[in-house]
Amino acid sequence: MKDNILIIGGGIAGLEAASQLLKLGYNPIIVEKSDHLGGHVADWNRLFPDMTPAEEVVSRLVAETSEANIFLNTEISFVNKLKDSYNIMLSNGISVITGTLLFATGFSMFDASKKEEYGYGIYNQVMTNRDLEHWFNTGKDARIPEEGPAAMGFVHCVGSRDEKARNPQCSKVCCITAVKQAIEMKQKFPEAMIYCFYMDLRMFGKKYEDFYISAQRDYGIRFIRGRVSEVSENIEGKLIVKAEDTLSGKPVKVTLDLLVLMAGIVCNPDTCKTAGLISLPVDSDGFLKSRDNIADITESPKEGIFYAGACTGPKTVPETLAEARSAALEIHNYISRKK
Amino acid sequence: MGKLYDELAKDYRIKEGLKTCINCGTCTAICPAAEFYKYDPRKIVDIVQSKDDAEIEKLLKSDVIWYCGECMSCVTRCPRKNAPGLVLMALRNLSARLGYFVNSEKGRQLYPLTKTLTGNILNYGYCVYPDTFKWEDHVESGPVMKWHLEHKEDSFARVGANYKGTGPGILRKIPQESLDELKRIFDVTGGTERIETVYRCSEEKAKEMGMDMDEYFEETFTHISPGHLNGEDE
Amino acid sequence: MDFGFKISPSSAVNLDNVDLSLYDRLAEVEPDIRKCIACGSCSASCPANRFSGMSVRKAILGLQRGKEKEVAKMLSTCMLCGKCSMVCPRGINTRHLILSICKFYKED
Amino acid sequence: MIYQGKQKIWADYQKEIPDDHWYYVRSCIRQNFFPGAEKMFLEICRNVLKKDFHENENHTTCGGIAYHCDTIPQETVMTIVARQFALMTEAGYENYVCSCITSFGNYIEILETWNEFPELETKIREMLWKACRREFNKPKYVAHASDLIYKYRNLIAERAKFRLVNKHTGEPLKVVEHIGCHYSKMFPSKGVGGAEYPYVLCGMIESWGGNVIDYPERRHCCGYGFRQYHVKANRGYSISNTHKKFESMEPYHPDMIITNCPGCPYFMDRWQYAIAEMEGKTYGENGYGIPVFTYEEVAGLVLGYDPWDLGLQLHQVAVEPLLDKIGIEYDPARKYEGVNHKDLQRPELPGVLRCC
């Protein structure tokens, strides 16, 4: 009989791991709390740096995992530790006995309304990176007029690198996402004046710097080095954004028609809840704690429990996919060793 | 690392107000002083953070640490939980203690401030008091205020104040034994010593500038050299 | 009435009021001006910097913030030695750029 | 503007304010410039709502202004505050309410600092004992007086004779609220509604029938800046900041301004006069200014107290156009009279700002 492997989370990490585990001859069971597969990536439109449609990535993974057992709209109700395995009760009444669990629970996006001074949910013309992707996908959002905004801005580090927001960590992908979205907006609305308010631009990945150079040179996107301090609304409903232009050491303000907040990546609270069922430790950054943050990122300190993707920290799509493959291999080695 | 930095580090306002600064500028962006003075609180915090004693000494002797209005708007916004306003207060405190304040025009204003405010506290028990609030020094308070001060006994009585009266109430006379307690608090906590330091350094500076103390008061209270505010050449 | 003090103008750079038409025309000829990442290598290596405050980084920023006059004044202290071109990590031909800036902003 | 978004934030910052038995301390600035406000506060709390508010003649300034003008060391202001707490303790109270925002910020900052550095509290206790032979308990609750009027706002509305409504048009008055910086900017959780969208005054305005205006520079400081006003040479800072606020609120044509800070009504009132004299510019209708009130004065007005009993004659900006809008009756002839109709003459009229 094929070994059961319970995968918590049907985002790209869970799907990629399931696809690999199928190929290795196992029986992956995916438990997904929402009604669709693909997680956050399914809500996205295009992916940096090659503008790959997100839908392509998700549909390939879904096709590759058609043989897996997948439960949508399902959560883990409770877990009983048996001698060498776990008996896991799902919210749909099914119980699964497995020696191996893979956390692919991903992340939550920071709730941008918690940065009160930016007025998300209060000022009409403030949106998040996710809202903008939604608009790229559907074309529906009252905040973006047909002729486009005359001037708009992107605020980096919203709920990232922010002790007040209880997330001192860098979310890693927002810098490049802002540059990507700024370019996309400029492509749609070439006349728009587009500003990015940043503290540092962390262009760490493959071709990211090229992307940034292109945003500057080819698209004329204006980068202001200063963290946005305050957003307010004027009588015409336009936004007034205040920051320091730290390169000149002067306060700077600008009136905008649209402001996009680059909401950061925080640990999914449901992850912590599920991790609590089996007493998995949480690291000081709020994400799940690996056995070792360099050599063993995909292994938990508990035997038989593995991680893939953003449940251990902010990751890009290719990093998540690579980690999911790595986790599948770790699981394979673990099960082979036990037999 | 430097002696001045070590002195600053003992101040609870530095312990509270300066963890690590990332130079993001959220403080300067909304700072009322940065908007009108040639002033950038971020840079000041960065200098203190550098622990460079030579630079800190320059700060302590400069006008720039006296521009802050202590509104603390910066505190709300700092993503690293710093309080630039508290850092400025610690710098001013050290500048006053070491007598460095007399080296700058804005620093020298500590003399009229100390004389008026600590005088009001020790003599009357209030920070602001009608008998020492001269309309001529506050012409912008307008003709109604002038009228009010000219008829202050009657005007205060009209709105039910207990001006100079016994017992509780608005502007009551604070009993002498309470004023004596305030004086002893000043003696015990370094308040009196601070007043003496400010007076001594100011008197030396006045002598150097060839003024008596009344002239020095007037000069420091009213004189504005061009160059502090935005849009002015030095 | 003179109260002995006055209402001061704001020091805030108001980006709404910055006219960038000339800058945009300059950028058509010198597209690399937009590539500056404000690293400061140019200012650090500039032999005029310590005497006059000359800085290509600040000049570029100044143009983006509508401070043409200050920039023109600053650039008059440049000796065109070209050291900044050698150190620019973004490969901007700063020497050429300075000449173009002078040409463009002289016309006005 | 999405009102529900603000409501969500307000829900996060509600304080459990004790209902009764308060030890009350006064404000230096308000006693000097808006004495009627404090009188009204005790009148409402004691006589209208029958609450217990104790005042002790021996309390003094908290030293906050001197501290923020950098003229006294931190230990001095802390020990003055410790003495105030000792007076409260001796009087048998645990709830402490102050009239002043600078004081409120001062008390909260000191208590928070002691929490973080208990050795400093010990040192201050020793200093207080040495200087005054007094001991103290820390208050169980520190409130600002506006927190209490906020808490009682609906009780006041039930007894109100007037509402913040234009009687000619039936429209709610457009009200600007201005919160003192030291109310919640340092410790957002200590203020009703937090630091970005404080609700303490909005709640009163809504309860009493007005409409709150949110304008771009709403959160900005009034421009007091302590030493930036107390030294004449620095007043350019002060007036420039106030000027910026008025320029920002001007397009909304506010009918009135309500503040909860001692300095703010002084500056927003007086600087309108100075701006008019310096630049010829006025912000109200027909050459008048926008009247600026303390929250107690407004509470007094809606409860039907005589404007001159409230001390509104001490405002530089004339309040009469607003009283007419609401329909509050007043006797112009009695505006500047003393007790028992004593003739105190009248203030001069300003050159530019229209006054009554």
Side-chain angles (χ1 to χ4, degrees):
Chain A
M1 205 178 89
K2 289 180 180 176
D3 285 283
N4 284 343
I5 295 160
L6 190 81
I7 299 175
I8 310 171
I12 58 164
L15 291 173
E16 177 68 36
S19 142
Q20 300 298 331
L21 289 165
L22 281 169
K23 288 176 201 158
L24 290 164
Y26 296 98
N27 179 31
I29 303 163
I30 297 178
V31 178
E32 166 59 45
K33 73 175 175 198
S34 80
D35 62 357
H36 68 277
L37 294 170
H40 294 284
V41 177
D43 297 337
W44 236 244
N45 180 248
R46 288 192 289 175
L47 306 175
F48 52 79
D50 292 333
M51 296 301 201
T52 313
E55 208 275 325
E56 255 176 38
V57 174
V58 174
S59 54
R60 179 184 64 79
L61 288 171
V62 170
E64 285 175 9
T65 49
S66 57
E67 303 290 307
N69 279 308
I70 297 175
F71 300 117
L72 295 176
N73 301 307
T74 307
E75 288 177 75
I76 311 284
S77 296
F78 57 86
V79 179
N80 283 329
K81 177 88 175 82
L82 308 173
K83 192 165 165 283
D84 299 317
S85 58
Y86 296 94
N87 181 11
I88 295 156
M89 182 61 82
L90 305 180
S91 59
N92 58 7
I94 293 171
S95 77
V96 179
I97 295 185
T98 175
T100 323
L101 255 93
L102 176 65
F103 273 75
T105 48
F107 64 92
S108 284
M109 284 191 78
F110 175 78
D111 175 5
S113 66
K114 293 264 179 273
K115 283 299 285 177
E116 295 165 23
E117 59 268 46
Y118 295 164
Y120 181 66
I122 291 180
Y123 302 131
N124 293 304
Q125 292 305 103
V126 182
M127 60 166 28
T128 63
N129 39 359
R130 183 209 291 274
D131 297 337
L132 187 60
E133 291 290 334
H134 181 77
W135 179 74
F136 288 149
N137 274 329
T138 63
K140 283 184 192 135
D141 195 307
R143 289 167 284 206
I144 304 177
E146 213 167 294
E147 70 281 8
M152 70 173 293
F154 289 86
V155 183
H156 292 229
C157 296
V158 176
S160 308
R161 305 179 72 196
D162 188 338
E163 293 187 27
K164 290 255 173 69
R166 302 211 183 107
N167 183 28
Q169 310 302 324
C170 169
S171 294
K172 201 171 178 179
V173 297
C174 329
C175 281
I176 180 68
T177 303
V179 170
K180 178 196 83 112
Q181 293 186 338
I183 288 177
E184 288 175 290
M185 287 306 276
K186 194 78 180 176
Q187 286 169 341
K188 288 180 195 297
F189 307 113
E191 296 304 313
M193 186 73 100
I194 299 184
Y195 300 94
C196 281
F197 294 90
Y198 71 100
M199 293 197 288
D200 303 288
L201 284 165
R202 298 185 162 181
M203 295 294 156
F204 59 90
K206 186 175 166 67
K207 298 204 289 187
Y208 292 6
E209 191 72 8
D210 296 344
F211 226 59
Y212 170 32
I213 292 174
S214 172
Q216 289 179 292
R217 188 192 50 205
D218 306 333
Y219 293 96
I221 289 155
R222 295 178 200 279
F223 290 85
I224 311 280
R225 194 199 170 281
R227 189 186 179 98
V228 169
S229 191
E230 175 177 298
V231 179
S232 48
E233 195 179 274
N234 73 9
I235 198 160
E236 297 158 342
K238 289 178 188 270
L239 300 167
I240 297 177
V241 174
K242 288 187 183 177
E244 182 192 351
D245 179 18
T246 59
L247 297 174
S248 66
K250 294 260 185 270
V252 62
K253 63 176 178 183
V254 62
T255 312
L256 301 176
D257 304 296
L258 183 68
L259 190 68
V260 183
L261 306 181
M262 303 311 293
I265 287 179
V266 293
C267 186
N268 186 338
D270 292 338
T271 301
C272 296
K273 215 172 76 194
T274 311
L277 295 174
I278 34 180
S279 315
L280 274 182
V282 172
D283 213 340
S284 59
D285 61 357
F287 290 91
L288 293 181
K289 189 173 168 70
S290 296
R291 186 171 290 236
D292 186 293
N293 281 333
I294 292 174
D296 264 332
I297 195 89
T298 55
E299 243 180 287
S300 86
K302 291 216 159 195
E303 200 174 310
I305 299 179
F306 296 85
Y307 303 141
C311 61
T312 55
K315 309 237 158 67
T316 64
V317 170
E319 284 167 351
T320 300
L321 295 176
E323 216 173 70
R325 281 171 219 134
S326 158
L329 188 58
E330 291 282 346
I331 290 169
H332 173 63
N333 290 340
Y334 170 76
I335 294 173
S336 311
R337 207 163 56 230
K338 267 182 41 173
K339 278 186 178 164
Chain B
M1 286 188 273
K3 275 190 186 141
L4 291 173
Y5 179 79
D6 290 345
E7 280 305 308
L8 281 174
K10 286 181 204 158
D11 195 311
Y12 285 95
R13 289 165 289 198
I14 292 286
K15 294 181 204 197
E16 289 265 287
L18 180 55
K19 281 103 185 180
T20 47
C21 167
I22 40 174
N23 273 290
C24 71
T26 45
C27 47
T28 303
I30 42 81
C31 173
E35 176 129 16
F36 297 104
Y37 283 127
K38 291 172 184 162
Y39 174 64
D40 186 343
R42 171 181 60 84
K43 288 184 182 164
I44 293 181
V45 171
D46 200 35
I47 290 171
V48 176
Q49 173 170 267
S50 77
K51 306 184 183 179
D52 180 333
D53 250 32
E55 289 297 316
I56 292 173
E57 186 174 333
K58 267 192 231 162
L59 271 187
L60 295 174
K61 293 180 173 173
S62 73
D63 282 309
V64 79
I65 58 169
W66 303 99
Y67 291 150
C68 165
E70 301 189 11
C71 71
M72 304 292 167
S73 302
C74 48
V75 180
T76 325
R77 299 284 163 68
C78 176
R80 282 286 177 91
K81 294 187 178 169
N82 298 315
L86 290 179
V87 173
L88 263 299
M89 289 177 83
L91 285 164
R92 291 169 174 193
N93 185 61
L94 188 60
S95 179
R97 209 178 86 206
L98 299 176
Y100 288 176
F101 67 96
V102 295
N103 289 292
S104 67
E105 179 181 307
K106 297 288 180 192
R108 287 193 285 275
Q109 294 169 343
L110 212 42
Y111 176 68
L113 285 168
T114 302
K115 196 159 190 260
T116 315
L117 290 163
T118 62
N120 283 342
I121 293 179
L122 293 169
N123 294 328
Y124 304 103
Y126 297 91
C127 275
V128 182
Y129 195 65
D131 297 29
T132 58
F133 187 92
K134 287 195 221 111
W135 188 80
E136 295 69 32
D137 291 337
H138 302 85
V139 176
E140 72 285 344
S141 68
V144 168
M145 193 66 195
K146 184 171 184 234
W147 168 85
H148 169 63
L149 289 169
E150 282 166 358
H151 303 90
K152 56 179 181 281
E153 282 80 8
D154 286 314
S155 181
F156 277 127
R158 172 68 185 87
V159 295
N162 185 22
Y163 180 44
K164 294 190 175 170
T166 54
I170 295 159
L171 290 174
R172 71 214 174 277
K173 175 165 174 35
I174 291 174
Q176 187 58 44
E177 56 270 26
S178 293
L179 297 178
D180 294 343
E181 283 187 44
L182 284 181
K183 176 71 173 82
R184 287 199 299 277
I185 288 176
F186 270 63
D187 291 345
V188 166
T189 59
T192 307
E193 191 187 337
R194 173 61 47 81
I195 296 170
E196 287 165 2
T197 306
V198 168
Y199 282 9
R200 178 172 44 78
C201 298
S202 300
E203 280 157 18
E204 284 165 15
K205 189 70 191 178
K207 199 179 279 176
E208 190 190 310
M209 292 166 77
M211 295 177 189
D212 67 27
M213 290 319 282
D214 287 340
E215 288 165 344
Y216 185 76
F217 186 106
E218 181 65 18
E219 168 76 13
T220 50
F221 184 69
T222 58
H223 180 70
I224 325 170
S225 298
H228 297 293
L229 289 161
N230 183 52
E232 293 175 344
D233 289 333
E234 277 161 54
Chain C
M1 200 194 292
D2 181 10
F3 292 95
F5 45 84
K6 56 181 190 291
I7 300 171
S8 162
S10 168
S11 67
V13 179
N14 189 342
L15 294 175
D16 303 343
N17 302 338
V18 177
D19 179 5
L20 289 174
S21 47
L22 194 55
Y23 174 80
D24 287 340
R25 271 198 280 141
L26 171 72
E28 276 168 32
V29 184
E30 293 278 354
D32 279 2
I33 190 174
R34 291 188 166 144
K35 279 167 64 184
C36 173
I37 48 172
C39 70
S41 304
C42 48
S43 326
S45 63
C46 175
N49 175 274
R50 76 186 70 168
F51 304 108
S52 68
M54 168 64 202
S55 156
V56 184
R57 168 180 87 73
K58 285 189 183 165
I60 294 174
L61 185 73
L63 295 181
Q64 292 169 347
R65 302 289 183 268
K67 311 233 180 261
E68 289 89 356
K69 280 198 185 119
E70 286 94 321
V71 172
K73 202 173 141 197
M74 186 198 286
L75 291 187
S76 67
T77 68
C78 169
M79 299 176 293
L80 291 173
C81 72
K83 265 178 101 176
C84 45
S85 299
M86 291 162 67
V87 294
C88 178
R90 278 291 180 87
I92 303 172
N93 187 338
T94 45
R95 194 171 178 278
H96 194 269
L97 175 64
I98 291 165
L99 288 169
S100 296
I101 295 172
C102 291
K103 211 171 101 198
F104 261 80
Y105 287 84
K106 212 179 193 172
E107 283 168 8
D108 273 26
Chain D
M1 203 82 67
I2 306 159
Y3 185 74
Q4 291 79 359
K6 287 190 182 176
Q7 283 178 314
K8 218 175 111 204
I9 289 174
W10 293 335
D12 289 344
Y13 295 99
Q14 284 300 321
K15 304 204 283 188
E16 282 294 323
I17 306 165
D19 188 56
D20 203 352
H21 305 297
W22 293 91
Y23 184 84
Y24 180 64
V25 290
R26 295 186 179 275
S27 148
C28 299
I29 292 195
R30 280 152 62 92
Q31 292 178 86
N32 273 273
F33 303 118
F34 302 95
E38 290 196 349
K39 191 188 74 169
M40 204 57 229
F41 179 77
L42 290 179
E43 166 72 19
I44 291 174
C45 295
R46 284 176 175 162
N47 300 339
V48 179
L49 302 173
K50 312 289 179 200
K51 307 282 183 187
D52 169 29
F53 279 74
H54 180 80
E55 185 198 355
N56 181 323
E57 60 176 327
N58 285 303
H59 86 272
T60 64
T61 175
C62 75
I65 295 176
Y67 174 59
H68 284 293
C69 286
D70 314 288
T71 61
I72 58 175
Q74 198 175 22
E75 287 82 357
T76 307
V77 73
M78 283 184 169
T79 312
I80 296 175
V81 163
R83 180 180 174 276
Q84 308 271 76
F85 290 161
L87 294 174
M88 174 202 75
T89 308
E90 289 159 21
Y93 284 80
E94 292 179 322
N95 301 326
Y96 192 92
V97 56
C98 50
S99 165
C100 172
I101 289 280
T102 303
S103 295
F104 180 70
N106 199 20
Y107 294 128
I108 298 288
E109 187 198 334
I110 288 172
L111 290 170
E112 293 288 320
T113 308
W114 289 350
N115 269 346
E116 203 159 326
F117 305 101
E119 75 277 9
L120 186 57
E121 183 184 332
T122 309
K123 184 177 164 191
I124 299 300
R125 284 182 184 277
E126 284 165 12
M127 285 177 155
L128 180 69
W129 179 254
K130 212 172 153 189
C132 308
R133 292 285 182 269
R134 290 183 196 268
E135 291 177 296
F136 68 93
N137 297 332
K138 285 186 274 185
K140 264 208 178 132
Y141 199 91
V142 175
H144 180 252
S146 62
D147 293 337
L148 290 171
I149 297 294
Y150 165 78
K151 187 181 172 71
Y152 303 144
R153 68 195 187 284
N154 294 328
L155 297 175
I156 291 169
E158 283 167 22
R159 293 162 171 79
K161 295 209 170 64
F162 300 99
R163 289 176 63 74
L164 301 178
V165 169
N166 185 323
K167 74 163 187 179
H168 306 293
T169 63
E171 293 290 315
L173 294 178
K174 288 170 284 184
V175 188
V176 158
E177 43 94 37
H178 178 82
I179 303 289
C181 291
H182 290 198
Y183 176 65
S184 60
K185 282 184 178 173
M186 292 184 279
F187 301 98
S189 66
K190 302 292 177 187
V192 175
E196 300 294 344
Y197 309 92
Y199 188 56
V200 62
L201 293 178
C202 292
M204 295 180 207
I205 296 164
E206 289 176 355
S207 179
W208 302 339
N211 246 356
V212 180
I213 285 172
D214 191 349
Y215 62 106
E217 297 291 353
R218 171 179 55 80
R219 301 149 164 133
H220 200 78
C221 171
C222 71
Y224 177 17
F226 299 99
R227 69 186 335 272
Q228 314 303 349
Y229 178 74
H230 285 291
V231 177
K232 185 176 174 180
N234 300 342
R235 288 178 195 158
Y237 164 107
S238 188
I239 194 168
S240 300
N241 277 293
T242 311
H243 179 253
K244 169 173 138 172
K245 282 186 78 80
F246 277 99
E247 289 292 311
S248 174
M249 72 174 80
E250 186 185 17
Y252 298 81
H253 304 292
D255 293 302
M256 65 192 293
I257 299 171
I258 304 186
T259 64
N260 76 338
C261 181
C264 311
Y266 176 84
F267 294 104
M268 296 178 93
D269 182 73
R270 290 350 187 228
W271 288 132
Q272 283 192 74
Y273 156 73
I275 291 167
E277 297 301 314
M278 287 161 90
E279 301 211 319
K281 176 135 190 195
T282 52
Y283 293 95
E285 290 160 29
N286 308 320
Y288 288 102
I290 305 170
V292 190
F293 297 91
T294 69
Y295 51 95
E296 296 109 320
E297 288 170 345
V298 178
L301 285 178
V302 300
L303 285 169
Y305 286 85
D306 183 281
W308 316 141
D309 287 346
L310 294 172
L312 302 188
Q313 63 275 30
L314 297 183
H315 293 210
Q316 181 61 55
V317 174
V319 297
E320 285 89 336
L322 181 83
L323 301 180
D324 294 339
K325 255 184 224 170
I326 302 177
I328 296 171
E329 284 182 18
Y330 55 92
D331 184 351
R334 298 205 54 193
K335 185 173 182 183
Y336 296 107
E337 282 181 352
V339 179
N340 297 329
H341 303 288
K342 184 174 174 184
D343 179 19
L344 304 181
Q345 298 160 313
R346 299 176 69 84
E348 294 160 30
L349 285 174
V352 178
L353 182 72
R354 195 164 159 205
C355 291
C356 299

